[in-house]
Amino acid sequence: MEKIEHINYIKSPISGVYEALVTQNGLGRIWTTKLVVKPKLNFVNEFYFDDEDATKMKIVELVENKKIVWECTSSDPEWIGTSISFDLSEKNGVTSVVLRHENWRKITEYYRWCNYNWAMFLLSLKEYCENGTGTPYQERHF
């Protein structure tokens, strides 16, 4: 199985970074403006991009200010059954975010494109947490 893994450092308290990753307001400011999100274990978050079908992520682990794990239950076929995790730690006022997208069946063109887009996601998270303005999907220029 293949995985995507990134790290970014955010000059923001860990609580603010965690809040951005688990709330409708936070994820709406950094990933997509069309979403249904609740920070509750076993809740299935819904994210909408270009099409009418939702990308659905079940929350399988939620440890405040430390870890978030989603399992993809509906999306592009290459995503279904994969997991996305965010591991957070803070040192000297800087929060590190390790993002992992695991259980890809193989490396494909779509995998590579998603790898790039996860880096853009972390940049948007950083900008939102540090400056108050992220770049959700609807505001990005592809």
Side-chain angles (χ1 to χ4, degrees), residues 1 3 56 76 84 113:
M1 292 292 204
K3 73 176 174 178
K56 295 182 180 180
D76 182 279
I84 293 97
W113 187 74

Side-chain angles (χ1 to χ4, degrees), residues 6-132:
H6 293 280
I7 190 168
N8 206 353
Y9 301 96
I10 301 173
K11 295 175 187 166
S12 179
I14 199 168
S15 59
V17 176
Y18 179 82
E19 182 92 3
L21 291 169
V22 299
T23 64
Q24 181 141 339
N25 181 59
L27 287 164
R29 303 281 298 276
I30 62 174
W31 202 17
T32 180
T33 59
K34 299 174 184 177
L35 70 166
V36 177
V37 168
K38 289 186 183 176
K40 182 179 175 185
L41 195 60
N42 295 316
F43 185 80
V44 179
N45 291 330
E46 297 180 10
F47 302 98
Y48 297 86
F49 300 93
D50 278 337
D51 51 26
E52 295 178 20
D53 295 329
T55 293
K56 295 182 180 180
M57 301 286 185
K58 181 179 179 182
I59 301 171
V60 295
E61 189 172 348
L62 200 56
V63 181
E64 188 171 358
N65 298 334
K66 187 169 180 150
K67 188 170 185 112
I68 303 147
V69 181
W70 300 334
E71 178 186 323
C72 184
T73 60
S74 179
S75 186
D76 182 279
E78 289 190 47
W79 271 35
I80 295 172
T82 64
S83 65
I84 293 97
S85 64
F86 305 91
D87 290 295
L88 310 176
S89 61
E90 184 179 1
K91 184 176 180 182
N92 300 324
V94 176
T95 299
S96 70
V97 180
V98 176
L99 180 152
R100 291 181 184 90
H101 190 165
E102 300 181 272
N103 300 322
W104 286 81
R105 289 174 283 289
K106 61 183 177 178
I107 295 176
T108 63
E109 182 177 340
Y110 185 63
Y111 166 95
R112 290 180 177 103
W113 187 74
C114 291
N115 193 347
Y116 164 81
N117 281 286
W118 279 125
M120 296 303 294
F121 173 95
L122 286 179
L123 178 61
S124 181
L125 174 64
K126 178 179 178 66
E127 290 296 319
Y128 174 67
C129 292
E130 291 182 359
N131 303 314

